[in-house]
């Protein structure tokens, strides 16, 4: 899908505050909501698996099993040895993958840090200029 992040990124590219992003993080950021339905399609096999996002940030499969990891949910749903659940599961409503949502969250976090940093830099420059003006005025007042 266009706009999908590069699947070859290292795991460190998916860290939020030094830890891996979770489904609960996507809920907290309002990128997912409890009750959202996710789909994992395997077209060559003619299989489609579904999961529902729980309020606690887990994925509940049709059989009732709950998993906090999208990869674990995908593995069990499809009876596979290994699968990247972040890429496998997509939202039924938008077609966006969990990986795409995760990247949106990380982009928001990075923008917030950049905005905060820019704000601090601006505040520092304003204080520096204010000090220089006060020093200049004080010096001229003393002369």
């Amino acid at each position: 899908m266009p706009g999908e992040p590069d699947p070859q990124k290292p795991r460190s590219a998916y860290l939020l505050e030094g830890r891996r992003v979770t489904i609960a993080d996507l809920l907290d950021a309002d990128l997912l909501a409890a009750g959202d339905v996710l789909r994992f399609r395997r077209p060559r096999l003619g299989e489609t698996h579904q999961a529902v996002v729980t309020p606690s940030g887990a994925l509940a499969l049709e059989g009732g099993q709950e998993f906090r990891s999208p990869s674990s949910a995908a593995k069990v749903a499809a009876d596979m040895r290994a699968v990247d659940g972040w890429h496998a599961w997509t939202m039924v409503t938008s077609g966006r993958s969990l990986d795409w949502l995760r990247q949106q969250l990380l982009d928001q976090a990075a923008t917030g840090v950049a905005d905060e940093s820019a704000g601090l830099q601006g505040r520092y420059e304003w204080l520096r200029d204010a000090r220089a003006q006060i020093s200049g005025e004080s010096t001229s007042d003393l002369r």
Side-chain angles (χ1 to χ4, degrees):
M1 175 173 281
E4 289 286 326
D6 178 9
Q8 300 302 317
K9 285 188 178 182
R11 285 187 177 188
S12 62
Y14 299 115
L15 297 180
L16 179 67
E17 298 173 356
R19 62 176 177 73
R20 288 185 184 178
V21 174
T22 65
I23 299 293
D25 293 324
L26 299 178
L27 284 170
D28 291 343
D30 292 327
L31 292 168
L32 272 180
D36 281 350
V37 179
L38 304 177
R39 183 181 300 141
F40 172 22
R41 287 189 177 153
R42 301 188 67 203
R44 282 197 237 161
L45 298 177
E47 295 178 357
T48 299
H49 306 283
Q50 289 197 24
V52 176
V53 178
T54 69
S56 65
L59 297 183
L61 298 180
E62 293 168 319
Q65 296 166 292
E66 291 188 12
F67 299 89
R68 299 194 68 69
S69 160
S71 296
S72 295
K75 267 184 358 183
V76 170
D79 193 27
M80 296 173 66
R81 190 178 298 156
V83 62
D84 183 347
W86 288 97
H87 290 274
W89 293 108
T90 59
M91 293 184 65
V92 169
T93 55
S94 68
R96 299 285 187 188
S97 71
L98 287 179
D99 184 62
W100 188 89
L101 297 174
R102 173 176 59 179
Q103 194 57 54
Q104 293 302 301
L105 175 63
L106 292 169
D107 289 349
Q108 288 173 8
T111 301
V113 168
D115 289 347
E116 186 177 306
S117 178
L120 291 174
Q121 181 65 28
R123 191 173 309 140
Y124 167 77
E125 290 171 5
W126 181 84
L127 287 170
R128 183 192 64 208
D129 293 345
R131 272 191 236 112
Q133 285 179 346
I134 291 170
S135 295
E137 290 174 9
S138 297
T139 305
S140 64
D141 290 343
L142 293 175
R143 287 187 195 164

